[in-house]
Amino acid sequence: MTEGTDPVDSRTDREVLASKLQLLLDIVHAKGAASFTYEEIRAGLAEQGFNLTKTRWHRLLAGSPDNRWDPELLKALAYFFDVDPDYLLQRSGPVPERVEAELRLIEALRISEVEHFAARVLGEVNIDAVRAVTEALRNLPARPRPEGTTPD
């Protein structure tokens, strides 16, 4: 990723990278597990020969402009998170299939939670209302596909 901005997305490349890293952390958390801690990430990178300071990690997550761009560190992070390095190295790097699949699973789980909530709340009122809410949730427009992904 070269430093700059995209006319469609006013964020800097470092801010885009921060969003991608946060997404990788969020996927782990959304699946019911605790997000990786700094210590776990530091240890994983240490196994690859990288020393990641807490300050550097927080600057990466914040998209800080004073953070030194280090492609080798990004490759090590990609290895740690088990994603294609291009996802972190390129502004519009392809969303890894695993990440896309996890996002779809999370989306389905959230819809399911809403359906169950609606059934509990509306079930006492009117079964037709529960069916209408369920049908509306299932017919929501598809989530926009990130750049670089292909339809199923």
Side-chain angles (χ1 to χ4, degrees), residues 72-150:
E72 294 306 313
L73 172 62
L74 298 182
K75 289 176 187 176
L77 283 166
Y79 180 80
F80 176 82
F81 284 106
D82 192 27
V83 296
D84 184 330
D86 285 343
Y87 176 62
L88 297 179
L89 289 168
Q90 298 175 6
R91 181 179 184 94
S92 60
V95 176
E97 283 184 43
R98 182 180 61 80
V99 171
E100 183 65 28
E102 297 287 354
L103 289 173
R104 287 191 190 144
L105 175 62
I106 291 166
E107 187 174 48
L109 290 172
R110 288 183 177 155
I111 288 173
S112 177
E113 288 174 11
V114 171
E115 287 176 345
H116 285 108
F117 174 77
R120 286 192 312 270
V121 172
L122 299 176
E124 301 168 6
V125 180
N126 182 337
I127 193 67
D128 291 331
V130 173
R131 288 187 185 119
V133 168
T134 299
E135 187 63 26
L137 288 170
R138 290 174 194 225
N139 291 320
L140 286 173
R143 183 172 53 81
R145 298 194 60 77
E147 203 173 305
T149 61
T150 57

Side-chain angles (χ1 to χ4, degrees), residues 40-52 73 76-77 80:
E40 291 169 323
I41 295 167
R42 185 199 57 72
L45 292 184
E47 290 175 5
Q48 299 178 63
F50 284 90
N51 178 27
L52 180 66
L73 172 62
L77 283 166
F80 176 82

Side-chain angles (χ1 to χ4, degrees), residues 36-44 54:
F36 289 116
T37 65
Y38 158 73
E39 286 300 325
E40 291 169 323
I41 295 167
R42 185 199 57 72
K54 196 171 228 177

Side-chain angles (χ1 to χ4, degrees), residues 1-2 17 24 50 53 59 66 93 115 120 123 149:
M1 210 176 331
T2 58
L17 173 63
L24 293 173
F50 284 90
T53 65
R59 285 181 178 165
D66 60 344
E115 287 176 345
R120 286 192 312 270
T149 61

